[in-house]
Amino acid sequence: MRSRIFVKLMVVFLLVIGVTAITLQMTVHGVWKRTLREQIERNLKQKTLMFAYRVEADRQHSLADITAQEGQAAGARATVIDPTGKVLADSEADPSTMENHAHRREFVSALAGEVGVEERKSQTLSIPFLYVAAPVSGGAVRLAYPLTEIEITDRPLG
C-alpha cells in the first residue's frame, strides 16, 4: 500500500518538475531572444548614426570607400541613397544595378528626417535582416544586419 502511494507521489512530483522545467526554459528563451534583438538594434542604431556622421564629415574619402569601410567595421551591409531613392553606394553590390530604395520603410523614415528601423526577410538570402537608416544631407544611409544569431536559437538541437 505504502509502495503504491510512494510511486504515485513520485510520478506526480516528476510531472510537476517536468512541466516547471519546460515552462522555465520557454520563458528564459523568449526573454533571451528579445534581449538579444534589442541589443542588436541599439548597437546598429549607434553604428548607423556614426556612419551618417562620417558621410557628412569625411571629405578625404570617396562615398564608395566610406560605405565599404563602414560596412566592414559594422559587420553589416552599408548603403547610401539620394533623396529620390537612387543608390549612390553599397558595400556589397554595384549601385548602378540596384533598384530604387525610396519606398523601403526604413528609408522612408530616414528621408523624412528620422531614424528608421525595419526587420524583414531578405528576398535573396531568405534570412531576416535588421535594417536601420538615418538621414544625411542629400539622402540617407543604412546598415543591414543579418539576424542569423537569433534564428539559430530557434532551431532544435541535434
Side-chain angles (χ1 to χ4, degrees):
M1 175 84 168
R2 283 185 175 192
S3 176
R4 285 194 335 206
I5 292 173
F6 177 76
V7 170
K8 287 180 182 180
L9 286 173
M10 183 61 93
V11 169
V12 169
F13 182 70
L14 291 175
L15 236 140
V16 169
I17 289 175
V19 169
T20 303
I22 290 170
T23 304
L24 184 62
Q25 194 276 336
M26 289 172 54
T27 302
V28 168
H29 177 76
V31 169
W32 180 83
K33 184 177 176 180
R34 187 175 60 252
T35 302
L36 178 59
R37 165 70 172 68
E38 289 169 358
Q39 182 179 8
I40 290 170
E41 182 176 327
R42 197 169 34 254
N43 288 340
L44 197 60
K45 278 182 181 178
Q46 291 173 343
K47 290 175 182 178
T48 303
L49 291 172
M50 289 188 295
F51 177 27
Y53 176 76
R54 183 160 179 217
V55 166
E56 296 278 9
D58 189 341
R59 300 290 173 236
Q60 296 178 345
H61 298 93
S62 71
L63 196 55
D65 288 343
I66 292 169
T67 304
Q69 291 168 4
E70 292 297 318
Q72 184 177 11
R77 183 174 184 169
T79 307
V80 181
I81 65 167
D82 72 8
T84 67
K86 177 183 175 193
V87 178
L88 301 175
D90 188 89
S91 62
E92 295 182 18
D94 178 6
S96 65
T97 64
M98 296 175 71
E99 65 185 31
N100 188 290
H101 284 35
H103 299 293
R104 300 200 177 168
R105 290 184 187 191
E106 68 278 4
F107 276 130
V108 169
S109 296
L111 291 172
E114 300 175 9
V115 173
V117 178
E118 177 70 17
E119 183 179 330
R120 66 178 173 272
K121 206 170 239 191
S122 164
Q123 293 176 343
T124 54
L125 300 175
S126 294
I127 59 171
F129 274 80
L130 179 64
Y131 299 92
V132 177
V136 294
S137 58
V141 300
R142 177 186 73 186
L143 291 177
Y145 185 81
L147 295 175
T148 49
E149 292 139 6
I150 294 176
E151 288 295 299
I152 289 170
T153 65
D154 286 339
R155 295 185 189 147
L157 298 175

